[in-house]
Amino acid sequence: MSRPAASAEPLVCPTCAKTYPLDERFCPTCKMPLVYAGFTGTDHPITDVGERARKIKPQYSEGELVRVAGARNQSEAEFIQGMLLEEGIPSVQRRSRGFDVPDFLAAGPRDVLVPESGALPAREVLLEADLVPTDAPSGIAPGRLALGLLALVALIAVVAWLGTEVLG
Ligand SMILES: [Zn+2]
């Protein structure tokens, strides 16, 4: 698996990391929909592709694509994909059906799909991470994160208040 050459072939297979020109849609080898190599966010430069492909476990790359999670937008879907990749599970994201948002926008809900052989471990990963792997369109529990932040802010406020009380 050699590192892809610059941006002459801007599409990349999420499974085997081969690069393709723009007129391809699917990887002929893996049947995976190709993604834009430089289109996965600022923290995933093109040089990451080889690294990602290396993490993928072949036993999770077999079978039809099945939906394991729903995300509210592209970055949430990428977050989920990153978690799955840590476990060696390749995934693709697709715009959820029935939402009429132009393709170039990052907004709009996404489905995260994995090969059938990776679906079970993927669901376990999502369960552990508190991401609900149901058919209901849901993603990261935002309440939990907000509560945690709130608690932190409250703690800082109390500490600051105690500080001024003692010193004053
Ligand atoms: Zn491929």
Side-chain angles (χ1 to χ4, degrees):
M1 256 172 275
S2 62
R3 199 157 268 190
S7 54
E9 298 188 327
L11 296 178
V12 64
C13 170
T15 301
C16 69
K18 279 200 189 96
T19 56
Y20 297 93
L22 272 176
D23 51 353
E24 293 289 338
R25 281 290 169 270
F26 295 90
C27 174
T29 318
C30 317
K31 313 283 187 255
M32 294 286 271
L34 301 176
V35 298
Y36 283 96
F39 198 64
T40 48
T42 47
D43 53 345
H44 298 301
I46 189 166
T47 47
D48 246 16
V49 171
E51 170 73 9
R52 286 203 249 177
R54 198 179 54 76
K55 283 182 184 169
I56 288 169
K57 295 178 181 164
Q59 69 264 34
Y60 293 157
S61 309
E62 287 156 25
E64 297 285 303
L65 290 173
V66 294
R67 181 183 183 277
V68 291
R72 283 166 307 181
N73 52 49
Q74 181 180 322
S75 49
E76 195 172 286
E78 280 172 6
F79 178 77
I80 292 171
Q81 288 187 283
M83 271 193 335
L84 295 177
L85 185 63
E86 286 305 311
E87 302 302 315
I89 306 163
S91 62
V92 292
Q93 57 166 292
R94 270 184 203 161
R95 202 169 282 283
S96 300
R97 253 174 239 171
F99 289 91
D100 193 16
V101 182
D103 257 0
F104 57 86
L105 289 184
R110 310 293 170 111
D111 292 332
V112 177
L113 303 95
V114 304
E116 209 169 1
S117 61
L120 209 65
R123 290 199 170 98
E124 276 165 19
V125 170
L126 297 172
L127 259 180
E128 269 173 37
D130 245 350
L131 294 163
V132 188
T134 64
D135 284 335
S138 55
I140 302 160
R144 196 167 286 236
L145 189 68
L147 269 180
L149 268 176
L150 212 64
L152 189 68
V153 169
L155 186 71
I156 290 167
V158 166
V159 169
W161 178 78
L162 280 176
T164 53
E165 280 295 294
V166 171
L167 294 173

